[in-house]
Amino acid sequence: MIRIARDEDAAAIHAIYAPSIISGVATFETELPGVDAMRERLRARLQHYPWLVWEGAGEVLAYAYAGRFRERAAYDWIAETSIYVRADAQRRGIARRLYGVLLDVMRLQGITQAVGVITLPGTVSVTMHEAMGFTPAGVWRQCGYKLGQWWDVGVWQKELQPATIPPPAVTPFPALDAAALHALLG
């Protein structure tokens, strides 16, 4: 089941995210934020962007969210995406289905471009993004130092809908039509 993340999901989200901080490079964050901090991030993000979870047997198995790409107003129509899947839930197609719904919600908001930022080589993430229609948009060389080495980061981009002139304002996530959102979440 795909649904909107809730405050009570913070502990499960934190548990899914923690290995990427401690021993992985999917994120360049190096200090565990704590469950309360994760809950605050969730609340802040949901004020404008979607944060979705995949729930199975009453447990959060994965989460995906969108966020502001850059601070300048001219970037309002592009958003960065992230997805994390619990280790024991990987390789079941959850990531692609959850990510697909996230992209659909972003379209509903009026976002025109999605950007995936991937620590390279990131083979699994690159494969998933390209299967979802993302195309390579560039590489930031040796931009992150973690776990004793420098890492390159690749940027993948997907057009969600054609840009118009002038573009309509992006609809904040909480202001989306409830029926349309429900239809996307299933």
Side-chain angles (χ1 to χ4, degrees), residues 5-6 8 45 56 58 84 100 122 177 179:
R6 302 184 291 245
E8 57 267 24
R45 183 74 42 114
Y84 292 87
D177 178 74

Side-chain angles (χ1 to χ4, degrees), residues 1-2 4 6 15 22 25 47 56 63 65 69 72 74 76 91-92 94 99 119-120 137 153 157 160 173 175:
M1 171 175 95
I2 297 173
I4 300 167
R6 302 184 291 245
I22 296 166
V25 292
Q47 290 184 23
Y63 67 92
Y65 60 83
F69 174 68
R72 305 290 188 260
D76 283 354
R91 300 291 194 196
R92 292 198 236 163
I94 291 172
Y99 213 54
T119 305
L120 299 176
V153 171
Q157 185 173 359
L160 300 178
F173 181 69

Side-chain angles (χ1 to χ4, degrees), residues 4 18 21 23 26 38 48 78 83 86 101 129 135 156 170 179 182:
I4 300 167
I21 296 171
S23 59
M38 192 60 74
H48 194 77
I78 185 171
I83 186 164
R86 202 169 78 181
V101 172
H129 279 81
T135 57
W156 272 256
V170 172
H182 180 71

Side-chain angles (χ1 to χ4, degrees), residues 16-38:
I16 293 168
Y17 186 51
S20 294
I21 296 171
I22 296 166
S23 59
V25 292
T27 179
F28 283 167
E29 190 162 9
T30 58
E31 300 289 329
L32 287 173
V35 174
D36 290 337
M38 192 60 74

Side-chain angles (χ1 to χ4, degrees), residues 29-125:
E29 190 162 9
T30 58
E31 300 289 329
L32 287 173
V35 174
D36 290 337
M38 192 60 74
R39 186 177 298 108
E40 290 306 314
R41 290 179 187 186
L42 173 66
R43 288 176 182 165
R45 183 74 42 114
L46 283 170
Q47 290 184 23
H48 194 77
Y49 295 98
W51 189 317
L52 307 175
V53 298
W54 180 288
E55 184 179 306
E59 296 183 352
V60 174
L61 302 178
Y63 67 92
Y65 60 83
R68 188 156 190 85
F69 174 68
R70 304 280 290 225
E71 290 303 313
R72 305 290 188 260
Y75 290 113
D76 283 354
W77 295 269
I78 185 171
E80 185 176 338
T81 56
S82 292
I83 186 164
Y84 292 87
V85 180
R86 202 169 78 181
D88 63 346
Q90 294 176 4
R91 300 291 194 196
R92 292 198 236 163
I94 291 172
R96 287 188 190 186
R97 291 189 303 244
L98 180 58
Y99 213 54
V101 172
L102 177 72
L103 297 174
D104 287 342
V105 172
M106 292 166 63
R107 279 186 197 94
L108 189 61
Q109 288 184 270
I111 296 170
T112 62
Q113 299 283 327
V115 174
V117 178
I118 304 167
T119 305
L120 299 176
T123 307
V124 172
S125 190

